[in-house]
Amino acid sequence: MARTFQVGDTFTHVRECDRYRPIYYAGASGDFNPIHIDPEVGQAAGLGGVILQGLCTLGWAVEAVGIFVGDPGRIRRVKVRFSRPVRLEDTVTFQGRVTALEGHRLVTEVTATNQRGEAVLKGAVVEASIG
Amino acid sequence: MAIDKRFIGREYGPFSYTLGAEKMREFALALGGAHPAAGTPGEPPAHVSPLLHDAQAAKAGPYGDLIAFPSFAVVFAIRPFGAAVSDPELGINLLMLVHGEQELEFLDVMRPGDVMTTTGRISEIYEKAGMEFVVVTSESRNQRGDVVVKGTWTAVVRG
């Protein structure tokens, strides 16, 4: 079943940073930086509490494109700038758009915004192989 | 206190890491939104690909085995970056450190039992808008010597 993709195709993926997600991600990834698990340290660091690991947000952007192309093994590149922390109980909406098809390479631009409409990633590009 | 630019080019590694199926699965499920309670983890969220957690489905799939979620690579590929920002000679206050940018390239999938060897180096140190930036590049090869993951890691030290 050959699926076809076109420049301009769009997709949406929504994820919630539930209260314990930074702790679950810490356990799975090994990133136990206390700014992700200890509210007092987050306060002391001037972050207003714990924040989600940026690499988890990156992973969600990758997940969005992996679902769009139907196979996480086809992701070839991801590039993001972390522009704003994701906090507990934030909902992040990922909106992607295919910007180029180059041979078997599909290029998408992905925005990630919280429930207040603020960007948590900037300039996110995710590429996948569709060959 | 500015970070001394003479550290540009400093190398870290090699660091070795063997991929285990359960760690790969745990990562995919934690990232994917599952609840990791011991004994009663529940069903994986429907959007999480079976290739990442269902060994039987994955063996019948395009890669012949479970594969790691792509960004599972950070678990091992982060080592040179972690070593650089905590290098006492650089003198970075880790509480003032934020992860500014990240790029990862995936040249192949990763399967259980793969042995990854990661090396990295500080490629840039610069100041912008009153903050300091440290950029580390990494390269991870599998047991066959093939480059599987390349990373560019950018730390920002708030002033």
Side-chain angles (χ1 to χ4, degrees), chain A residues 25-61:
Chain A
Y25 184 83
S29 69
D31 183 351
F32 285 97
N33 186 325
I35 62 173
H36 303 307
I37 53 180
D38 186 334
E40 287 180 20
V41 174
Q43 289 288 355
L47 298 168
V50 300
I51 62 171
L52 182 66
Q53 291 86 346
L55 287 171
C56 185
T57 315
L58 174 148
W60 288 349

Side-chain angles (χ1 to χ4, degrees), chain A residues 13 15 25 28-29 54-68 71-76 78 94 126, chain B residues 17 19-33 47-53 63 65-76 104-106 108-112 148-149:
Chain A
H13 186 54
R15 293 302 310 274
Y25 184 83
S29 69
L55 287 171
C56 185
T57 315
L58 174 148
W60 288 349
V62 166
E63 183 178 62
V65 180
I67 292 167
F68 176 61
D71 176 354
R74 290 181 173 272
I75 301 295
R76 288 291 168 269
V78 56
F94 297 85
V126 183
Chain B
Y17 183 91
L19 277 81
E22 298 304 340
K23 287 299 291 184
M24 292 161 53
R25 194 194 322 261
E26 180 188 356
F27 184 94
L29 294 174
L31 184 106
H47 68 255
V48 179
S49 170
L51 300 177
L52 303 170
H53 65 83
Y63 308 108
D65 204 342
L66 284 175
I67 58 169
F69 186 85
S71 72
F72 179 76
V74 303
V75 171
F76 54 84
L104 294 166
E105 277 185 81
F106 309 104
D108 201 354
V109 296
M110 296 165 276
R111 298 176 177 83
V148 176
V149 184

